[in-house]
Amino acid sequence: MPNPAQSRKVLDLSPFEKFKLLAARTITNYWGWVLGFWVCAVVVLRLVAPSWNSIAQDGDFKFLPGDLPSRIGQQWLEEGFPDHRARSQLVIVLANRKQPLRKIDLALSYDLARQLMHKTAVVSFYRQLRGTKSTHKSAGEPVGAMEDDDAWENVRTLFDSCIALDQKWFEAVRKAIPPESELPADRLADAHWYRAELLSRMELTNEAEADRQTALLLDPSVEKLPRIEELENDPWLHALDLWTWEDDVVGSKLGSKNANAKMLLMQLESEFIAVSNIALIQALDELISSTKARYEKHFEGNPTEIGTSGSAAVGGDMLRASAFAVQQTEWVTVLMILLILAIVYRGPLLVAIPLFTIGLSLVVSLSVIALLAEVPDSGVRSGFRVFSTTRIFIVVLLFGAGTDFCLFFLARCREALTENPKANRRNVQRMVASSWRGVLNALTLSALTTMIGLGLMYFSKFEKFQHSGPIIAICLGITLVVCLTFTPALICALGHRAFWPLLSPKNLQRAGHRPMDWFWKRLAEVVVRRPIPTFAVCLLLLLIPAVQGWVHRGWITYDFTHELDSNSPSRRGTAMIVRYFPTSDASPLTVMVSRNEPFENEKALRAAIDPLREALYVDGVLGVRTLTDPLGDFPPDRRMALFGQDSWRRRLLEGHKRTQKLFVATQPTFVRRMVRLDLIIAPNPFSTEAEDVLARVREKMSQIVQSPDSEWHGAEFAFAGTTPGIHDLKVVTQADQRRIQLLVALGVWAVLFLMLRRVWVSGYLIFTVLLSYLTTLGLTQWFFQWCYQDEFVGLDWKVPLFLFVILVAVGQDYNVYLTTRVIEEQKKHGPIGGLIRALVLTGGIITSCGVVMAATFLSMTSGAIIPKLQQLASPWLATQSEPFPILRGIVELGFALALGVLIDTFLVRTILVPSMFAIQTRIQKRI
């Protein structure tokens, strides 16, 4: 029969307390149904949810707002110059470090060039057959590629170049290798076979038949080649064009007269950090390795040096490093959590319960997000956009926060168990229900502050921020629900066995008198007796680096090349370009100018271009390539000589058909109205100096279009390329940072106020985490400045925003855990006694939670730490192993977050917050 006294107590409870009681009893009494629900949920979600890799996207520029200058410029480029609309480039440099290129080096160079030209020709043919739709565009977007009547001729030109390079390779290899030796490769029968198919479609029957016979003569098995239409999964699909040193227009810039090195420049339609570039760069690496291997026995101990660079290579290295960071962070996080839990609990089931809970929450969270995610290239703009690097934050935060939730709950269970061991051992369900009600407020408030902080990133303009924050918030909410349902149900299922070996009388006695309780009690007494001195000392320690963080809060970099380790392939390739082609730049700053009315004729257009070209030679511009100077060899102070080689080449190229299509818009709506100028700039296109050059060019263009005397008066202009994209990314993300920092601070304060109902407490807690953020920022700047020395140009641009949001939100958790317990204990034991008791009871568990969270964040730095440990353990083994791909931005953020959490755990929560409670108590007593 129900106990009347208990019934009256239930009736006296508030509605929220009644809900807590009902929920706790439901979970603990029907634990089998709860466990069954989650098991079924995992099975169903795994069956129906797509894989993370299938919905993950990447890139930066394409997720900027569409009204930004760089996005408009790219749209103009695609509409006006469909055959030359490259968004990124791949550069391959072939050289011999010790001497000029030998015959064998040239043979290998031609071999690689003919194969890459063949790949480019085949995918161009494929795009033409697929209705000229660009493979990177979504359904419903403008086509933009190969729509004019010259499209088939463009494809044929690529095959012609491929076959010409094949012939040059054959001649070069015969000069390099004795006639009696076996050739390192075969002739390109494929090119003749596919060109025959192309010529058939162009109704050139006789030429097609001749090519077909040539192909069969070179290789009878060529008939078994796949049809062009079957290449939808080809990794080279984003290749638009290939420029070689044999090119009529730009060959001189790529090494036609360079005895020491040759360069290949592949134009790509994909953004420099697009996910699809990973497969392309892997295919390129395999092609280079297999080609180079065929010539090994002919090198005579001095092989050809081959380097890859360009914006796409930089982006590809970043994506590969990011994928490696995701994989490594996951397993390092699991190992660290396992180690910490084993040290804390020294019980197998108490270690397994959090791991099972977090593993389940991770599977459910990732599956739910995958179901809510937008499918890339589907043309449907609904759902979340998921990015590959988002997974790092999900894994780290879920393991960190989820472990904290479980630790806090299990600590309450252990408290209840040690207070009445016999009764609680007999009735585990009642003990679990009581503990569940005791921690619900703290866990919910802790999760809400983090979820609100992350969710407010939705108000960013940059879509990577806009979608990543809410996605992580949803995953954290799922983790909270799993921890509040699955964990107590699992404990009820295991019964008292879950706490083995804690339940032995000896261990129970130890659990009731924890070794560190004396430390927390002593610390609490010091803080209570002398709150003002302890507060002042702690504040001073934090303020010194906080001033550094505030003064240099803008010390960040958008230079993607500096985010990569110096051992990355793209940085080594860049060094080769600088060595052998000091004035070459594969990522030009593209300027497009469009008049309202077309010029009367071609002569008038040419006459208007030359003054424009000369005007754009501002400080930092090395060359301006356009219709009247295709190679940018003639700055304003250099005049054309009558018999000079460069002058004759300029005259020849001005009338070249390819030059016309490269620098003058070919689409009917832009004929004689839109022109293009490619500016070769001195600085690295990712650098701040490049932005300064862009600003000078923009100012000069504004003067030109506003001048009544200019032929371009009233015209519009736009920019495309890496530098304009970096500039717009900087403008948008810095504005986002200011907006989100304000919203997150206000949002977290509002949650604290609604839950605590104390204005000054909520405001003070926000102040402490803001101080912690600035302190962490300053210390992180000092640390990496010391690590990188002269290479340090600032923290990665993503670090300050993610550090602020996560530290303000997650760092608030420990303040919440302490504050809610202080309020609870002060009601029972008075202001001073309650404060001391709260510090003693929560000291160990909050410290454990902080260490766990810091450890999970520190796992993000494992890419930099593990090689150092490996080198210390075995220097020889370290030299034999492949270098780890390191993404400095991930390492910097992981270090900063771990440091910030430790500061919150050991200084803010331990001294600043309790000392302020003690000061408040003294003030109230005097009043």
Side-chain angles (χ1 to χ4, degrees):
M1 292 188 58
N3 189 328
Q6 290 182 348
S7 299
R8 283 194 298 271
K9 287 182 180 180
V10 172
L11 291 174
D12 293 338
L13 295 176
S14 66
F16 180 63
E17 291 297 328
K18 289 180 182 178
F19 162 77
K20 289 168 60 176
L21 182 62
L22 178 62
R25 287 179 176 177
T26 302
I27 293 169
T28 54
N29 290 338
Y30 300 97
W31 55 265
W33 289 97
V34 174
L35 294 178
F37 168 80
W38 283 117
V39 170
C40 292
V42 168
V43 173
V44 171
L45 287 171
R46 290 291 291 173
L47 290 175
V48 301
S51 67
W52 185 268
N53 290 336
S54 67
I55 48 95
Q57 305 181 57
D58 243 308
D60 284 325
F61 297 163
K62 68 179 179 180
F63 298 117
L64 292 169
D67 58 350
L68 289 177
S70 62
R71 293 292 302 276
I72 295 172
Q74 186 62 40
Q75 184 179 353
W76 281 21
L77 186 64
E78 294 179 5
E79 293 175 354
F81 304 88
D83 297 328
H84 302 283
R85 64 186 191 282
R87 294 187 175 194
S88 61
Q89 298 80 25
L90 267 176
V91 180
I92 301 97
V93 182
L94 303 101
N96 193 309
R97 184 183 290 269
K98 296 184 178 180
Q99 63 190 87
L101 291 172
R102 303 159 298 177
K103 293 179 180 179
I104 191 65
D105 298 322
L106 288 172
L108 188 152
S109 301
Y110 276 115
D111 196 350
L112 193 58
R114 67 177 186 142
Q115 292 183 77
L116 290 174
M117 187 66 77
H118 178 60
K119 302 287 187 186
T120 307
V122 169
V123 297
S124 297
F125 191 7
Y126 170 82
R127 275 197 299 269
Q128 179 64 7
L129 290 178
R130 289 294 301 265
T132 73
K133 185 169 291 186
S134 171
T135 56
H136 76 285
K137 291 182 177 296
S138 302
E141 293 188 15
V143 172
M146 295 197 217
E147 294 177 305
D148 58 307
D149 294 336
D150 293 335
W152 295 108
E153 194 62 40
N154 291 336
V155 180
R156 179 180 180 176
T157 301
L158 290 172
F159 277 113
D160 291 346
S161 300
C162 171
I163 291 170
L165 286 169
D166 184 54
Q167 180 62 38
K168 289 180 180 291
W169 164 79
F170 183 73
E171 295 169 0
V173 79
R174 272 306 177 204
K175 292 178 182 178
I177 297 175
E180 64 274 8
S181 300
E182 183 181 354
L183 290 178
D186 297 323
R187 300 293 298 274
L188 275 181
D190 301 20
H192 289 277
W193 185 260
Y194 285 130
R195 189 174 69 170
E197 183 179 345
L198 172 67
L199 293 172
S200 296
R201 293 177 183 272
M202 297 174 69
E203 299 182 355
L204 300 173
T205 309
N206 293 335
E207 295 181 49
E209 184 58 29
D211 254 344
R212 194 171 288 109
Q213 294 301 320
T214 302
L216 290 170
L217 183 63
L218 292 173
D219 183 5
S221 65
V222 76
E223 292 180 302
K224 298 179 182 178
L225 285 174
R227 294 180 59 81
I228 291 289
E229 294 90 337
E230 299 172 1
L231 299 175
E232 63 272 6
N233 296 320
D234 194 293
W236 302 90
L237 282 179
H238 292 284
L240 288 173
D241 200 357
L242 181 73
W243 296 352
T244 75
W245 65 92
E246 294 288 338
D247 191 274
D248 294 337
V249 178
V250 295
S252 61
K253 297 295 182 182
L254 303 180
S256 62
K257 304 297 183 182
N258 192 330
N260 298 303
K262 304 297 179 187
M263 182 187 290
L264 300 167
L265 178 61
M266 179 173 281
Q267 304 284 352
L268 305 177
E269 65 175 357
S270 53
E271 188 187 326
F272 83 98
I273 200 169
V275 177
S276 57
N277 286 349
I278 295 179
L280 189 150
I281 294 172
Q282 287 176 342
L284 175 62
D285 290 343
E286 292 172 4
L287 181 64
I288 290 174
S289 298
S290 60
T291 303
K292 196 172 181 179
R294 293 198 297 264
Y295 292 81
E296 280 184 349
K297 60 182 179 182
H298 305 290
F299 282 139
E300 298 179 358
N302 186 17
T304 310
E305 184 181 9
I306 303 178
T308 57
S309 186
S311 57
V314 172
D317 282 350
M318 290 178 64
L319 289 172
R320 287 191 289 189
S322 174
F324 178 82
V326 170
Q327 181 183 13
Q328 184 168 264
T329 298
E330 288 183 5
W331 68 261
V332 171
T333 299
V334 172
L335 289 177
M336 294 185 76
I337 293 295
L338 183 62
L339 178 63
I340 292 171
L341 290 176
I343 294 172
V344 171
Y345 286 121
R346 298 184 297 278
L349 293 178
L350 286 176
V351 172
I353 289 171
L355 286 179
F356 272 111
T357 301
I358 300 161
L360 185 143
S361 65
L362 183 62
V363 172
V364 172
S365 299
L366 293 177
S367 300
V368 169
I369 294 301
L371 289 173
L372 297 175
E374 172 189 299
V375 179
D377 301 324
S378 65
V380 181
R381 291 288 181 260
S382 62
F384 288 109
R385 283 184 168 177
V386 174
F387 308 99
S388 58
T389 50
T390 308
R391 186 178 175 117
I392 292 180
F393 296 104
I394 293 174
V395 170
V396 169
L397 275 174
L398 260 59
F399 269 92
T403 304
D404 286 355
F405 294 159
C406 290
L407 283 175
F408 209 70
F409 176 66
L410 290 172
R412 266 300 177 97
C413 291
R414 186 169 64 176
E415 278 184 37
L417 187 64
T418 54
E419 287 173 2
N420 194 354
K422 292 183 179 180
N424 288 326
R425 181 171 180 172
R426 287 194 302 268
N427 197 339
V428 173
Q429 293 181 12
R430 184 177 296 173
M431 179 200 68
V432 171
S434 174
S435 302
W436 190 92
R437 296 197 305 274
V439 300
L440 178 64
N441 288 1
L443 294 187
T444 303
L445 180 55
S446 168
L448 273 178
T449 55
T450 308
M451 291 170 64
I452 292 293
L454 291 166
L456 286 170
M457 291 179 68
Y458 177 77
F459 294 98
S460 304
K461 298 294 184 183
F462 184 43
E463 289 190 9
K464 279 189 119 174
F465 293 162
Q466 184 184 92
H467 291 265
S468 294
I471 284 172
I472 302 170
I474 291 172
C475 293
L476 192 60
I478 293 172
T479 302
L480 175 66
V481 174
V482 173
C483 290
L484 289 175
T485 55
F486 181 80
T487 304
L490 189 58
I491 295 174
C492 291
L494 295 171
H496 65 273
R497 292 179 294 275
F499 297 92
W500 183 86
L502 180 64
L503 288 173
S504 67
K506 186 177 180 180
N507 285 334
L508 278 173
Q509 186 177 5
R510 288 179 180 175
H513 300 83
R514 291 167 294 187
M516 290 300 293
D517 281 358
W518 68 268
F519 170 79
W520 296 113
K521 187 174 182 180
R522 177 63 179 160
L523 179 64
E525 289 173 350
V526 171
V527 171
V528 170
R529 280 198 204 121
R530 299 181 179 179
I532 295 178
T534 55
F535 175 82
V537 170
C538 183
L539 187 64
L540 182 63
L541 288 174
L542 295 176
L543 275 177
I544 295 173
V547 171
Q548 158 76 14
W550 172 260
V551 173
H552 298 285
R553 61 190 182 279
W555 197 0
I556 57 176
T557 179
Y558 286 77
D559 189 342
F560 288 85
T561 58
H562 277 83
E563 189 170 354
L564 293 167
D565 188 72
S566 58
N567 290 324
S568 64
S570 60
R571 289 194 69 174
R572 295 199 302 267
T574 301
M576 288 185 64
I577 294 176
V578 172
R579 187 185 309 129
Y580 297 110
F581 300 90
T583 61
S584 176
D585 189 340
S587 297
L589 168 61
T590 298
V591 184
M592 285 156 293
V593 191
S594 178
R595 279 176 36 119
N596 295 326
E597 298 294 332
F599 286 98
E600 295 180 3
N601 50 50
E602 187 75 17
K603 183 178 180 181
L605 174 64
R606 288 175 176 274
I609 287 176
D610 228 33
L612 179 63
R613 175 186 67 83
E614 294 185 358
L616 292 183
Y617 273 94
V618 299
D619 185 24
V621 174
L622 301 177
V624 180
R625 299 174 182 170
T626 189
L627 181 65
T628 58
D629 187 8
L631 298 180
D633 288 335
F634 290 87
D637 58 352
R638 184 186 182 191
R639 299 302 172 190
M640 292 179 62
L642 182 60
F643 299 108
Q645 183 179 7
D646 291 343
S647 300
W648 276 105
R649 184 168 57 217
R650 176 180 175 180
R651 295 187 186 100
L652 180 66
L653 295 180
E654 281 184 20
H656 197 287
K657 181 179 179 180
R658 190 170 178 186
T659 303
Q660 298 277 343
K661 296 191 69 174
L662 181 60
F663 295 114
V664 180
T666 58
Q667 300 302 300
T669 54
F670 298 111
V671 170
R672 294 199 307 276
R673 284 202 311 115
M674 181 185 289
V675 298
R676 166 181 175 170
L677 303 95
D678 286 341
L679 277 57
I680 308 305
I681 60 177
N684 177 345
F686 293 96
S687 66
T688 303
E689 292 77 13
E691 288 187 69
D692 296 337
V693 176
L694 173 64
R696 289 191 285 271
V697 173
R698 181 181 284 111
E699 182 180 0
K700 178 62 67 174
M701 285 300 308
S702 298
Q703 294 173 2
I704 292 172
V705 299
Q706 292 172 11
S707 173
D709 299 330
S710 172
E711 292 287 348
W712 302 95
H713 176 66
E716 296 180 287
F717 63 91
F719 299 97
T722 300
T723 302
I726 292 292
H727 173 74
D728 286 350
L729 181 67
K730 184 176 183 179
V731 170
V732 169
T733 54
Q734 289 187 352
D736 280 344
Q737 181 171 332
R738 292 189 293 270
R739 182 187 309 108
I740 297 307
Q741 285 180 344
L742 178 62
L743 288 176
V744 168
L746 292 175
V748 173
W749 178 86
V751 174
L752 291 172
F753 174 70
L754 289 174
M755 297 294 290
L756 300 177
R757 300 291 182 178
R758 299 188 181 190
V759 175
W760 80 268
V761 173
S762 304
Y764 179 68
L765 294 182
I766 288 294
F767 162 75
T768 60
V769 290
L770 292 178
L771 177 63
S772 175
Y773 162 73
L774 290 174
T775 301
T776 303
L777 189 62
L779 291 173
T780 303
Q781 290 170 347
W782 280 336
F783 178 76
F784 285 103
Q785 187 179 18
W786 171 76
C787 287
Y788 298 150
Q789 299 295 325
D790 294 338
E791 283 192 18
F792 184 72
V793 292
L795 297 176
D796 180 72
W797 58 279
K798 297 180 289 296
V799 170
L801 178 62
F802 278 104
L803 176 64
F804 182 89
V805 173
I806 295 176
L807 203 57
V808 170
V810 174
Q812 202 63 262
D813 290 359
Y814 310 118
N815 289 340
V816 168
Y817 290 153
L818 174 62
T819 302
T820 53
R821 193 62 185 263
V822 168
I823 294 172
E824 179 185 341
E825 296 297 333
Q826 283 181 337
K827 291 177 182 177
K828 301 176 183 176
H829 304 282
I832 299 299
L835 178 59
I836 294 175
R837 182 173 171 80
L839 274 172
V840 172
L841 290 176
T842 62
I845 187 58
I846 294 180
T847 301
S848 299
C849 290
V851 171
V852 166
M853 184 67 79
T856 58
F857 286 137
L858 197 64
S859 66
M860 297 168 66
T861 68
S862 56
I865 293 176
I866 290 178
K868 299 294 183 183
L869 296 176
Q870 188 182 44
Q871 188 173 15
L872 289 174
S874 174
W876 178 84
L877 184 63
T879 59
Q880 301 301 311
S881 60
E882 188 72 17
F884 281 38
I886 299 173
L887 209 55
R888 286 185 175 180
I890 296 294
V891 173
E892 291 169 3
L893 182 56
F895 173 86
L897 288 170
L899 177 63
V901 168
L902 291 176
I903 290 172
D904 276 332
T905 303
F906 291 102
L907 290 178
V908 174
R909 185 268 311 170
T910 307
I911 298 176
L912 279 187
V913 174
S915 62
M916 184 51 69
F917 272 108
I919 292 172
Q920 180 206 17
T921 301
R922 286 194 173 190
I923 293 172
Q924 288 175 342
K925 281 186 176 181
R926 289 178 182 176
I927 294 175

